[in-house]
Amino acid sequence: MMNYFPDEVLEHVFDFVTSHRDRNAVSLVCKLWYRVERYSRQRVFIGNCYAISPERLIARFPGVKSLTLKGKPHFADFNLVPQDWGGYVQPWIEALARSRIGLEELRLKRMVVSDESLDVLSRSFTNFKSLVLVSCEGFTTDGLAAIAANCRFLRELDLQENEIEEKKNHWLGCFPDSCTSLVSLNFACLKEINLAALERLVARNPNLKSLKLNRAVPLEALQRILMRAPQLVDLGTGSFVLDRDSDDSETYRKLRTTILKCRSIRNLSGFLEVAPHCLPAIYPICVNLTYLNLSYAAGIHGSELIKLIRLCGKLQRLWILDCIGDKGLEIVASTCKDLQELRVFPSDPFGAGHDAVTETGLVAISSGCPKLNSLLYFCQQMTNAALIAVAKNCPNFIRFRLCILDPTKPDPVTMQPLDEGFGAIVQSSKRLRRLSLSGLLTDRVFLYIGMYAEQLEMLSIAFAGESDKGMLYVLNGCKKLRKLEIRDSPFGDMALLRDVGKYETMRSLWMSSCDVTLGGCKTLAKKMPRLNVEIINENDQMEFAPEDSQKVEKMYLYRTLVGPRKDAPEFVWTLV
Amino acid sequence: MGRATSSSSSSIDSNNHQSLSSSSSLSQLKRDLSTDLRLGLSISASQHNSSSTPRVQTLDYPPIQSLVAEGNECNDHATFFVKVYMEGIPIGRKLDLLAHDGYDDLIRTLDYMFNTNILWGAEVDTMHPEKCHVLTYEDEEGDLMMVGDVPWEMFLSTVKRLKITRAGPC
């Protein structure tokens, strides 16, 4: 029936299909749909920049306006991937600049970005509106200056957790006076900023809805900025510290009055530096908050955190440090009935945290917040009984990431592995898409995961399992698995090679400090030409002509349509 | 967040590998990790004291992006400077209360700063003639109060400035 409609009608219908996956599915129906879909596609997501080339992207989707690219594997966040591994955005920007693509939005994660790339980007796309860089590196504030100066219709500049070299230039001052289109600005990851330029910028951008400051913005400046921008929805404070002197109580009073006017703030973060006695200034807006991130706010005692949380009845997402303690989590459980996402970070990851949280806090949360669907929880210990209770109270987990600070710690009450606890989680949360395991775990937990985690897409394993059977349970059972990352676990060639076709259904597999050998990896590479099987050979761990029986320290494999990458450094070997 | 910390490579040599795979029991793992530590892989001075848990810092664990870890490991980002005057001396000093973890620590610093012995809390009730000074503070309401009566955290939330006054004739 749809074949009798002109293309424009099909296109109009497809406009309502927005998710990447749905559009991908649409394109597979028939050649006609493929054609209509590709010309009308505006947003493209590429989860691995080495799976495809910029030329093929441009050829297939000439109308693309928004591109998302991801580079390094996830474990790069934890220092497991050496410098210069790759993930360069330059070839993408060059290719797009040469083409007729009218790029408006670029979102990059874990990629290497250079000042030159930013410069080319800023000058090649007249309608460029939005730049989002997450966990990227390789550029300086000179690159930011180019973006500020040349992107005349810039709406969004969002810098999250990047490593940026800061030059003496005042890049923020490079926004011309005519720039009045900003909606979102986040520079929290920088150390410095030109305050005067910032205040002028905020003053002339009345549509600013999201502003995240850095540590260099003192409280007095925050007050002046909020006076200019009471319409903010999303605020990241910079430094939140004042002396208790009489000169500063005037500033504090002004801040309190100004904050009272900021009735639109729903998301609050920052507090990169904070003095507890300043916190009451934000009490008036707590009642409206749906997102609160205090995970950088070192130095606030649990009791202060509790006073704050008690006011936040509408909270849906909370990111906090473990100094809130189990008692504090009980308060969260009784106050934040709409809570969907909780992240508890360790304030002292490498020591014995006395204020830390345990299974008690998590059970309290699960019992008070049944809507909880996303969890990241760093804790000292966990029990099977607690996990079973959590599974029962919260059957809606989409993301469940548990990190016990001692990675192989058993249930301290029964001294058993945590297989049963995680088993309960995967059995009860039928929509679970992401799971990270920790604690003492045998092959049994993987049996449960393979049996029950039907929607699982990403699994992170560290120091777990006993034999190849563990990995096999997962590869056989989890039909929707896309990303598997494993470290320090006894999985070897037998598991790796059992079902080589599986890896073409996945984005990538990372295995480090496991038992896979060079020979096993070579065999896999030979059988599967559409996988890049890369060995990272740091510090010349492998000799010049290593034996096939030698274990591989780090292996990263991913499906690709464009063969071995040409930009691999000499310590990365692509096996063929 | 591939932040540049002292990126210790997470290399465990192949000997440790074999023992890990043959039996991943906890004691085996602990023995292997402590071997790593004895081999002098870079470890920080503050060693974890618990006997049952091995240090895994050298192995890039826990999986926390280093800036969050660095930022939160040391709680000295927050400061709280107050003025301190000694009776009879017109020029005051400034002191960061948050750099101290309690009254004892604070008194020690003040004794050193002002080269005196300061009475506080219960000591004031049993006066020693050779100790000449007491520590008082001005609170939010402007009243002059004796230091040491309330818990440290409560003190931090109300103190505005400190004053060292003479206890009596000395």
Side-chain angles (χ1 to χ4, degrees), chain A residues 4 76 89 107 110 144 150 153 164 170 183 209 223 267 314 318 350 352 382 387 405 439 466 488 554 571:
Chain A
Y4 298 112
V89 78
R107 309 166 73 94
R110 287 189 209 101
L144 298 179
N150 303 329
F153 304 111
I164 306 174
H170 289 151
V183 173
K209 290 279 185 296
Q223 187 270 325
N267 305 322
K314 293 208 193 126
L318 176 63
F350 305 113
M382 186 52 58
L387 285 174
L405 294 171
E466 301 158 300
D488 295 279
K554 291 178 182 171
F571 58 81

PDB file of all heavy atoms in Angstrom, chain A residues 4 76 89 107 110 144 150 153 164 170 183 209 223 267 314 318 350 352 382 387 405 439 466 488 554 571:
ATOM      1  N   TYR A   4       2.237   2.971  -3.216  1.00  0.00           N
ATOM      2  CA  TYR A   4       1.482   3.826  -4.109  1.00  0.00           C
ATOM      3  C   TYR A   4       1.546   5.286  -3.702  1.00  0.00           C
ATOM      4  O   TYR A   4       1.015   6.142  -4.381  1.00  0.00           O
ATOM      5  CB  TYR A   4       0.017   3.372  -4.190  1.00  0.00           C
ATOM      6  CG  TYR A   4      -0.095   1.982  -4.751  1.00  0.00           C
ATOM      7  CD1 TYR A   4      -0.523   0.928  -3.949  1.00  0.00           C
ATOM      8  CD2 TYR A   4       0.266   1.706  -6.067  1.00  0.00           C
ATOM      9  CE1 TYR A   4      -0.602  -0.356  -4.458  1.00  0.00           C
ATOM     10  CE2 TYR A   4       0.189   0.421  -6.571  1.00  0.00           C
ATOM     11  CZ  TYR A   4      -0.248  -0.603  -5.764  1.00  0.00           C
ATOM     12  OH  TYR A   4      -0.322  -1.867  -6.269  1.00  0.00           O
ATOM     13  N   ALA A  76      38.979   3.252  28.117  1.00  0.00           N
ATOM     14  CA  ALA A  76      39.929   4.361  28.041  1.00  0.00           C
ATOM     15  C   ALA A  76      39.706   5.325  29.202  1.00  0.00           C
ATOM     16  O   ALA A  76      40.631   5.995  29.654  1.00  0.00           O
ATOM     17  CB  ALA A  76      39.783   5.097  26.716  1.00  0.00           C
ATOM     18  N   VAL A  89      39.233  12.951  14.924  1.00  0.00           N
ATOM     19  CA  VAL A  89      38.062  13.479  14.219  1.00  0.00           C
ATOM     20  C   VAL A  89      38.475  14.209  12.933  1.00  0.00           C
ATOM     21  O   VAL A  89      37.630  14.463  12.063  1.00  0.00           O
ATOM     22  CB  VAL A  89      37.238  14.409  15.143  1.00  0.00           C
ATOM     23  CG1 VAL A  89      37.886  15.792  15.263  1.00  0.00           C
ATOM     24  CG2 VAL A  89      35.820  14.534  14.645  1.00  0.00           C
ATOM     25  N   ARG A 107      28.579  15.901  17.720  1.00  0.00           N
ATOM     26  CA  ARG A 107      28.702  15.401  19.079  1.00  0.00           C
ATOM     27  C   ARG A 107      29.764  14.322  19.088  1.00  0.00           C
ATOM     28  O   ARG A 107      29.635  13.333  18.385  1.00  0.00           O
ATOM     29  CB  ARG A 107      27.359  14.831  19.552  1.00  0.00           C
ATOM     30  CG  ARG A 107      26.198  15.791  19.333  1.00  0.00           C
ATOM     31  CD  ARG A 107      24.868  15.100  19.483  1.00  0.00           C
ATOM     32  NE  ARG A 107      24.610  14.823  20.869  1.00  0.00           N
ATOM     33  CZ  ARG A 107      23.914  15.632  21.670  1.00  0.00           C
ATOM     34  NH1 ARG A 107      23.387  16.735  21.197  1.00  0.00           N
ATOM     35  NH2 ARG A 107      23.740  15.301  22.925  1.00  0.00           N
ATOM     36  N   ARG A 110      35.015  10.654  23.452  1.00  0.00           N
ATOM     37  CA  ARG A 110      36.320   9.960  23.494  1.00  0.00           C
ATOM     38  C   ARG A 110      37.038  10.027  22.145  1.00  0.00           C
ATOM     39  O   ARG A 110      37.535   9.016  21.633  1.00  0.00           O
ATOM     40  CB  ARG A 110      36.147   8.487  23.907  1.00  0.00           C
ATOM     41  CG  ARG A 110      35.815   8.341  25.359  1.00  0.00           C
ATOM     42  CD  ARG A 110      35.863   6.903  25.830  1.00  0.00           C
ATOM     43  NE  ARG A 110      34.925   6.781  26.920  1.00  0.00           N
ATOM     44  CZ  ARG A 110      33.704   6.261  26.816  1.00  0.00           C
ATOM     45  NH1 ARG A 110      33.283   5.755  25.677  1.00  0.00           N
ATOM     46  NH2 ARG A 110      32.906   6.235  27.872  1.00  0.00           N
ATOM     47  N   LEU A 144      38.719  26.654  20.721  1.00  0.00           N
ATOM     48  CA  LEU A 144      37.448  27.205  21.205  1.00  0.00           C
ATOM     49  C   LEU A 144      37.262  28.632  20.702  1.00  0.00           C
ATOM     50  O   LEU A 144      36.142  29.049  20.388  1.00  0.00           O
ATOM     51  CB  LEU A 144      37.406  27.173  22.736  1.00  0.00           C
ATOM     52  CG  LEU A 144      37.481  25.778  23.370  1.00  0.00           C
ATOM     53  CD1 LEU A 144      37.461  25.881  24.894  1.00  0.00           C
ATOM     54  CD2 LEU A 144      36.337  24.905  22.892  1.00  0.00           C
ATOM     55  N   ASN A 150      33.778  32.271  14.793  1.00  0.00           N
ATOM     56  CA  ASN A 150      33.303  32.036  13.429  1.00  0.00           C
ATOM     57  C   ASN A 150      31.913  31.442  13.296  1.00  0.00           C
ATOM     58  O   ASN A 150      31.306  31.539  12.233  1.00  0.00           O
ATOM     59  CB  ASN A 150      34.289  31.109  12.694  1.00  0.00           C
ATOM     60  CG  ASN A 150      35.695  31.689  12.676  1.00  0.00           C
ATOM     61  OD1 ASN A 150      35.866  32.898  12.659  1.00  0.00           O
ATOM     62  ND2 ASN A 150      36.688  30.812  12.698  1.00  0.00           N
ATOM     63  N   PHE A 153      25.859  31.385  14.248  1.00  0.00           N
ATOM     64  CA  PHE A 153      24.549  31.033  14.788  1.00  0.00           C
ATOM     65  C   PHE A 153      24.667  29.989  15.882  1.00  0.00           C
ATOM     66  O   PHE A 153      23.766  29.194  16.083  1.00  0.00           O
ATOM     67  CB  PHE A 153      23.644  30.514  13.671  1.00  0.00           C
ATOM     68  CG  PHE A 153      23.506  31.491  12.544  1.00  0.00           C
ATOM     69  CD1 PHE A 153      24.063  31.217  11.312  1.00  0.00           C
ATOM     70  CD2 PHE A 153      22.860  32.693  12.734  1.00  0.00           C
ATOM     71  CE1 PHE A 153      23.958  32.125  10.271  1.00  0.00           C
ATOM     72  CE2 PHE A 153      22.751  33.613  11.713  1.00  0.00           C
ATOM     73  CZ  PHE A 153      23.305  33.328  10.477  1.00  0.00           C
ATOM     74  N   ILE A 164      41.676  19.938  28.125  1.00  0.00           N
ATOM     75  CA  ILE A 164      41.896  21.075  27.235  1.00  0.00           C
ATOM     76  C   ILE A 164      43.081  21.880  27.738  1.00  0.00           C
ATOM     77  O   ILE A 164      43.114  22.290  28.898  1.00  0.00           O
ATOM     78  CB  ILE A 164      40.644  21.984  27.198  1.00  0.00           C
ATOM     79  CG1 ILE A 164      39.401  21.167  26.833  1.00  0.00           C
ATOM     80  CG2 ILE A 164      40.847  23.137  26.230  1.00  0.00           C
ATOM     81  CD1 ILE A 164      38.103  21.936  26.915  1.00  0.00           C
ATOM     82  N   HIS A 170      41.801  34.943  25.562  1.00  0.00           N
ATOM     83  CA  HIS A 170      40.480  35.033  26.179  1.00  0.00           C
ATOM     84  C   HIS A 170      39.467  34.572  25.148  1.00  0.00           C
ATOM     85  O   HIS A 170      38.822  35.369  24.508  1.00  0.00           O
ATOM     86  CB  HIS A 170      40.195  36.464  26.628  1.00  0.00           C
ATOM     87  CG  HIS A 170      41.032  36.849  27.802  1.00  0.00           C
ATOM     88  ND1 HIS A 170      41.433  38.134  28.055  1.00  0.00           N
ATOM     89  CD2 HIS A 170      41.563  36.104  28.788  1.00  0.00           C
ATOM     90  CE1 HIS A 170      42.168  38.156  29.158  1.00  0.00           C
ATOM     91  NE2 HIS A 170      42.260  36.943  29.611  1.00  0.00           N
ATOM     92  N   VAL A 183      22.030  29.100  23.622  1.00  0.00           N
ATOM     93  CA  VAL A 183      21.036  28.469  24.480  1.00  0.00           C
ATOM     94  C   VAL A 183      21.732  27.656  25.573  1.00  0.00           C
ATOM     95  O   VAL A 183      21.244  27.527  26.687  1.00  0.00           O
ATOM     96  CB  VAL A 183      20.111  27.554  23.642  1.00  0.00           C
ATOM     97  CG1 VAL A 183      19.186  26.756  24.533  1.00  0.00           C
ATOM     98  CG2 VAL A 183      19.325  28.360  22.635  1.00  0.00           C
ATOM     99  N   LYS A 209      19.546  28.852  28.354  1.00  0.00           N
ATOM    100  CA  LYS A 209      18.758  28.023  29.260  1.00  0.00           C
ATOM    101  C   LYS A 209      19.669  27.144  30.121  1.00  0.00           C
ATOM    102  O   LYS A 209      19.295  26.696  31.185  1.00  0.00           O
ATOM    103  CB  LYS A 209      17.849  27.087  28.447  1.00  0.00           C
ATOM    104  CG  LYS A 209      16.725  27.767  27.733  1.00  0.00           C
ATOM    105  CD  LYS A 209      15.572  28.028  28.682  1.00  0.00           C
ATOM    106  CE  LYS A 209      14.375  28.610  27.968  1.00  0.00           C
ATOM    107  NZ  LYS A 209      14.641  29.927  27.386  1.00  0.00           N
ATOM    108  N   GLN A 223      26.303  35.462  41.376  1.00  0.00           N
ATOM    109  CA  GLN A 223      25.141  36.278  41.723  1.00  0.00           C
ATOM    110  C   GLN A 223      24.822  37.264  40.596  1.00  0.00           C
ATOM    111  O   GLN A 223      23.665  37.401  40.188  1.00  0.00           O
ATOM    112  CB  GLN A 223      25.422  37.004  43.048  1.00  0.00           C
ATOM    113  CG  GLN A 223      24.255  37.758  43.615  1.00  0.00           C
ATOM    114  CD  GLN A 223      24.202  39.195  43.135  1.00  0.00           C
ATOM    115  OE1 GLN A 223      25.246  39.823  42.942  1.00  0.00           O
ATOM    116  NE2 GLN A 223      23.025  39.725  42.931  1.00  0.00           N
ATOM    117  N   ASN A 267      17.657  21.738  36.984  1.00  0.00           N
ATOM    118  CA  ASN A 267      18.847  20.902  37.056  1.00  0.00           C
ATOM    119  C   ASN A 267      19.963  21.706  37.695  1.00  0.00           C
ATOM    120  O   ASN A 267      20.308  22.785  37.207  1.00  0.00           O
ATOM    121  CB  ASN A 267      19.297  20.485  35.654  1.00  0.00           C
ATOM    122  CG  ASN A 267      18.190  19.801  34.893  1.00  0.00           C
ATOM    123  OD1 ASN A 267      17.415  19.031  35.462  1.00  0.00           O
ATOM    124  ND2 ASN A 267      18.082  20.075  33.610  1.00  0.00           N
ATOM    125  N   LYS A 314      11.052  16.560  44.529  1.00  0.00           N
ATOM    126  CA  LYS A 314      10.691  16.197  43.148  1.00  0.00           C
ATOM    127  C   LYS A 314      11.863  15.585  42.394  1.00  0.00           C
ATOM    128  O   LYS A 314      11.801  15.401  41.187  1.00  0.00           O
ATOM    129  CB  LYS A 314      10.260  17.461  42.393  1.00  0.00           C
ATOM    130  CG  LYS A 314       8.987  18.065  42.894  1.00  0.00           C
ATOM    131  CD  LYS A 314       8.287  18.820  41.777  1.00  0.00           C
ATOM    132  CE  LYS A 314       7.182  19.684  42.347  1.00  0.00           C
ATOM    133  NZ  LYS A 314       7.299  21.091  41.948  1.00  0.00           N
ATOM    134  N   LEU A 318      19.730  11.866  40.951  1.00  0.00           N
ATOM    135  CA  LEU A 318      20.616  12.340  42.004  1.00  0.00           C
ATOM    136  C   LEU A 318      21.996  11.735  41.835  1.00  0.00           C
ATOM    137  O   LEU A 318      22.151  10.514  41.751  1.00  0.00           O
ATOM    138  CB  LEU A 318      20.053  11.956  43.382  1.00  0.00           C
ATOM    139  CG  LEU A 318      20.935  12.298  44.593  1.00  0.00           C
ATOM    140  CD1 LEU A 318      21.129  13.801  44.719  1.00  0.00           C
ATOM    141  CD2 LEU A 318      20.331  11.734  45.874  1.00  0.00           C
ATOM    142  N   PHE A 350      40.452   4.811  47.072  1.00  0.00           N
ATOM    143  CA  PHE A 350      41.563   3.896  47.310  1.00  0.00           C
ATOM    144  C   PHE A 350      41.818   3.638  48.776  1.00  0.00           C
ATOM    145  O   PHE A 350      42.774   2.973  49.139  1.00  0.00           O
ATOM    146  CB  PHE A 350      42.832   4.437  46.647  1.00  0.00           C
ATOM    147  CG  PHE A 350      42.627   4.705  45.189  1.00  0.00           C
ATOM    148  CD1 PHE A 350      42.655   5.990  44.686  1.00  0.00           C
ATOM    149  CD2 PHE A 350      42.347   3.658  44.323  1.00  0.00           C
ATOM    150  CE1 PHE A 350      42.438   6.236  43.344  1.00  0.00           C
ATOM    151  CE2 PHE A 350      42.125   3.885  42.974  1.00  0.00           C
ATOM    152  CZ  PHE A 350      42.178   5.179  42.484  1.00  0.00           C
ATOM    153  N   ALA A 352      39.997   3.144  52.975  1.00  0.00           N
ATOM    154  CA  ALA A 352      38.850   2.540  53.655  1.00  0.00           C
ATOM    155  C   ALA A 352      37.918   3.666  54.055  1.00  0.00           C
ATOM    156  O   ALA A 352      38.158   4.342  55.029  1.00  0.00           O
ATOM    157  CB  ALA A 352      39.326   1.775  54.887  1.00  0.00           C
ATOM    158  N   MET A 382      28.597  -5.697  49.519  1.00  0.00           N
ATOM    159  CA  MET A 382      27.235  -5.994  49.077  1.00  0.00           C
ATOM    160  C   MET A 382      26.909  -7.415  49.475  1.00  0.00           C
ATOM    161  O   MET A 382      27.802  -8.271  49.548  1.00  0.00           O
ATOM    162  CB  MET A 382      27.149  -5.817  47.553  1.00  0.00           C
ATOM    163  CG  MET A 382      25.772  -5.941  46.951  1.00  0.00           C
ATOM    164  SD  MET A 382      24.489  -4.904  47.705  1.00  0.00           S
ATOM    165  CE  MET A 382      25.144  -3.272  47.497  1.00  0.00           C
ATOM    166  N   LEU A 387      20.795  -7.660  47.350  1.00  0.00           N
ATOM    167  CA  LEU A 387      20.523  -7.593  45.911  1.00  0.00           C
ATOM    168  C   LEU A 387      19.185  -8.243  45.582  1.00  0.00           C
ATOM    169  O   LEU A 387      18.447  -7.776  44.711  1.00  0.00           O
ATOM    170  CB  LEU A 387      21.660  -8.258  45.122  1.00  0.00           C
ATOM    171  CG  LEU A 387      22.957  -7.436  45.035  1.00  0.00           C
ATOM    172  CD1 LEU A 387      24.065  -8.241  44.352  1.00  0.00           C
ATOM    173  CD2 LEU A 387      22.728  -6.140  44.281  1.00  0.00           C
ATOM    174  N   LEU A 405      34.329  -1.695  45.993  1.00  0.00           N
ATOM    175  CA  LEU A 405      35.682  -1.152  45.898  1.00  0.00           C
ATOM    176  C   LEU A 405      36.761  -2.228  45.989  1.00  0.00           C
ATOM    177  O   LEU A 405      37.839  -2.079  45.420  1.00  0.00           O
ATOM    178  CB  LEU A 405      35.885  -0.060  46.956  1.00  0.00           C
ATOM    179  CG  LEU A 405      35.001   1.161  46.673  1.00  0.00           C
ATOM    180  CD1 LEU A 405      35.026   2.150  47.815  1.00  0.00           C
ATOM    181  CD2 LEU A 405      35.441   1.845  45.394  1.00  0.00           C
ATOM    182  N   GLY A 439      32.573  -7.815  42.738  1.00  0.00           N
ATOM    183  CA  GLY A 439      32.474  -8.739  43.858  1.00  0.00           C
ATOM    184  C   GLY A 439      32.918 -10.117  43.416  1.00  0.00           C
ATOM    185  O   GLY A 439      33.216 -10.349  42.241  1.00  0.00           O
ATOM    186  N   GLU A 466      35.252 -18.203  36.364  1.00  0.00           N
ATOM    187  CA  GLU A 466      36.228 -19.257  36.663  1.00  0.00           C
ATOM    188  C   GLU A 466      36.760 -19.930  35.421  1.00  0.00           C
ATOM    189  O   GLU A 466      37.840 -20.512  35.444  1.00  0.00           O
ATOM    190  CB  GLU A 466      35.577 -20.350  37.513  1.00  0.00           C
ATOM    191  CG  GLU A 466      35.021 -19.878  38.823  1.00  0.00           C
ATOM    192  CD  GLU A 466      33.971 -20.835  39.334  1.00  0.00           C
ATOM    193  OE1 GLU A 466      32.940 -21.050  38.643  1.00  0.00           O
ATOM    194  OE2 GLU A 466      34.159 -21.392  40.413  1.00  0.00           O
ATOM    195  N   ASP A 488      40.836  -8.859  33.407  1.00  0.00           N
ATOM    196  CA  ASP A 488      41.292  -9.693  34.522  1.00  0.00           C
ATOM    197  C   ASP A 488      40.338 -10.835  34.842  1.00  0.00           C
ATOM    198  O   ASP A 488      39.968 -11.054  36.014  1.00  0.00           O
ATOM    199  CB  ASP A 488      41.469  -8.791  35.765  1.00  0.00           C
ATOM    200  CG  ASP A 488      42.585  -7.785  35.552  1.00  0.00           C
ATOM    201  OD1 ASP A 488      43.750  -8.182  35.725  1.00  0.00           O
ATOM    202  OD2 ASP A 488      42.289  -6.630  35.161  1.00  0.00           O
ATOM    203  N   LYS A 554      46.147  -6.924  25.893  1.00  0.00           N
ATOM    204  CA  LYS A 554      44.953  -6.135  25.584  1.00  0.00           C
ATOM    205  C   LYS A 554      44.520  -6.388  24.153  1.00  0.00           C
ATOM    206  O   LYS A 554      45.291  -6.199  23.223  1.00  0.00           O
ATOM    207  CB  LYS A 554      45.243  -4.631  25.725  1.00  0.00           C
ATOM    208  CG  LYS A 554      45.459  -4.200  27.146  1.00  0.00           C
ATOM    209  CD  LYS A 554      45.799  -2.727  27.260  1.00  0.00           C
ATOM    210  CE  LYS A 554      46.060  -2.391  28.724  1.00  0.00           C
ATOM    211  NZ  LYS A 554      46.585  -1.052  28.907  1.00  0.00           N
ATOM    212  N   PHE A 571      52.183   0.682  18.296  1.00  0.00           N
ATOM    213  CA  PHE A 571      51.955  -0.313  19.353  1.00  0.00           C
ATOM    214  C   PHE A 571      50.604  -1.013  19.208  1.00  0.00           C
ATOM    215  O   PHE A 571      50.249  -1.851  20.023  1.00  0.00           O
ATOM    216  CB  PHE A 571      52.101   0.311  20.755  1.00  0.00           C
ATOM    217  CG  PHE A 571      51.185   1.473  21.018  1.00  0.00           C
ATOM    218  CD1 PHE A 571      49.861   1.272  21.376  1.00  0.00           C
ATOM    219  CD2 PHE A 571      51.648   2.777  20.903  1.00  0.00           C
ATOM    220  CE1 PHE A 571      49.014   2.350  21.620  1.00  0.00           C
ATOM    221  CE2 PHE A 571      50.820   3.858  21.141  1.00  0.00           C
ATOM    222  CZ  PHE A 571      49.498   3.639  21.500  1.00  0.00           C
TER     223      PHE A 571
END
